[in-house]
Amino acid sequence: MARKGLVLEGGALRGLFSAGVIDVLMEAGIAFDGLIGVSAGAAFGCNYKSRQVGRVIRYNTRFARDWRYCSWKSWWLTGDLFGGTFCYHVLPEQLDVFDKKTFDENPMEYYAVCTDVETGEPVYQRLMTCSDTCYEYIRASASMPLVSKIVEVEGRKLLDGGVSDSIPLEYFQSVGYEKNVVVLTQPDGYRKEHNRLMPLLRLSLRKYPDMLRALDTRHLMYNSQLDYVREAERQGRAFVLRPPHALEIGHLCHDPEVMRAVYAVGRTTAEGQLSAIRKYLSE
């Protein structure tokens, strides 16, 4: 039987759309053999393996106005816009506890995509048990350049996986996942433009020319991946869920109601496609 995968794009708080999607899929009892997430897709997608419906929207709205979670104060004091220690250690260990036992016992494969800043190449980290190292890989996957410190894990210097592989459908297919549900966070027809912050990025990451090359050409990679996803969808090799319109949320948001609205769009989108998703995965 074909292995079934779930591929989650990033997009910072646009990922709340994906959170709505995955909660509906979990509530419907839809199981995947593997999940691969990039940036917010990794940070939110790990809850599929721990089977924690509703956890993502719960902690995002609860801590929306907490400076330790996400703020310029956090960036000034810690070097991370999204507080590295608070978000990836204090919160899952003490404040909204991550179910490590279920995560470890669930046989579903979970991958977080990071970018190696010394090579500019993607790192596809398979994480089957929860630990501080696992948390740090997830943190690295979601650590956006300019507003995050480089995360050093197991001898590698890592940042946002979206820089090198924003929509890792092709990679997941290459490791044996033949039937994939892909969740995007931009509407149909979206095309990425060249990063206007390249002058600042060149200053911030001047020691890492290969990372700068990846950042400079990211829009080309991303648009090529959109084309690849579209063709896979046309051929029936992927089932794609997209927002019906541009999501009205920025990289930063401190308004729980805006967060809930984006999450609701994800839920509505998934609920409308449940029968089609079940049919696709069973074929």
Side-chain angles (χ1 to χ4, degrees):
M1 183 175 289
R3 297 177 82 198
K4 295 175 283 191
L6 181 60
V7 180
L8 301 179
E9 181 187 5
L13 290 178
R14 291 198 313 274
L16 291 171
F17 169 84
S18 305
V21 170
I22 65 176
D23 278 356
V24 168
L25 298 181
M26 283 193 282
E27 289 166 356
I30 294 177
F32 294 91
D33 300 300
L35 181 154
I36 188 166
V38 182
S39 194
F44 297 166
C46 62
N47 293 279
Y48 213 112
K49 185 168 166 62
S50 68
R51 299 192 173 105
Q52 288 177 280
V53 176
R55 181 172 177 269
V56 174
I57 190 62
R58 183 174 64 240
Y59 73 70
N60 271 278
T61 52
R62 178 182 172 187
F63 298 106
R65 296 189 173 97
D66 191 318
W67 73 266
R68 298 170 299 170
Y69 182 64
C70 176
S71 68
W72 292 112
K73 179 178 178 179
S74 172
W75 178 73
W76 179 256
L77 293 177
T78 71
D80 289 305
L81 187 66
F82 286 85
T85 299
F86 182 81
C87 294
Y88 297 98
H89 296 282
V90 175
L91 195 159
E93 291 291 329
Q94 301 174 24
L95 302 177
D96 196 319
V97 176
F98 187 67
D99 190 342
K100 294 190 286 187
K101 184 175 186 291
T102 299
F103 182 95
D104 293 356
E105 293 175 353
N106 186 345
M108 182 182 78
E109 291 188 310
Y110 167 79
Y111 289 78
V113 184
C114 309
T115 300
D116 187 317
V117 300
E118 296 183 310
T119 66
E121 295 298 318
V123 172
Y124 304 100
Q125 190 64 36
R126 182 176 178 269
L127 300 165
M128 293 302 293
T129 57
C130 189
S131 64
D132 282 347
T133 299
C134 174
Y135 287 148
E136 285 295 283
Y137 272 112
I138 297 171
R139 173 188 171 192
S141 180
S143 290
M144 298 178 288
L146 284 183
V147 294
S148 308
K149 294 184 296 187
I150 292 171
V151 182
E152 297 193 27
V153 194
E154 297 185 324
R156 288 184 287 202
K157 296 179 178 180
L158 306 173
L159 279 175
D160 187 354
V163 173
S164 55
D165 193 346
S166 298
I167 312 169
L169 171 61
E170 190 171 6
Y171 172 79
F172 229 29
Q173 291 172 329
S174 77
V175 294
Y177 287 91
E178 299 168 279
K179 294 192 77 69
N180 292 285
V181 173
V182 181
V183 183
L184 303 180
T185 59
Q186 294 284 10
D188 198 14
Y190 173 81
R191 305 298 283 184
K192 185 175 286 294
E193 298 180 354
H194 185 254
N195 194 331
R196 292 175 293 179
L197 296 177
M198 279 309 301
L200 289 176
L201 288 162
R202 288 191 179 97
L203 182 63
S204 174
L205 294 166
R206 57 191 177 278
K207 297 179 181 178
Y208 305 103
D210 290 327
M211 183 68 169
L212 288 172
R213 170 191 50 78
L215 284 160
D216 201 27
T217 59
R218 184 187 178 190
H219 63 299
L220 303 176
M221 174 273 294
Y222 183 85
N223 292 334
S224 176
Q225 289 189 327
L226 286 178
D227 294 339
Y228 184 87
V229 169
R230 170 65 75 187
E231 182 61 17
E233 181 182 33
R234 187 188 69 79
Q235 295 175 356
R237 295 186 296 113
F239 190 102
V240 184
L241 292 164
R242 305 173 178 85
H245 50 73
L247 298 169
E248 296 179 2
I249 195 167
H251 283 79
L252 293 182
C253 179
H254 302 291
D255 187 338
E257 290 308 310
V258 173
M259 291 178 169
R260 291 188 187 99
V262 172
Y263 171 80
V265 174
R267 287 195 63 94
T268 300
T269 301
E271 287 164 352
Q273 295 292 323
L274 263 182
S275 295
I277 293 169
R278 283 198 175 98
K279 182 173 184 291
Y280 166 75
L281 292 173
S282 66
E283 286 174 345

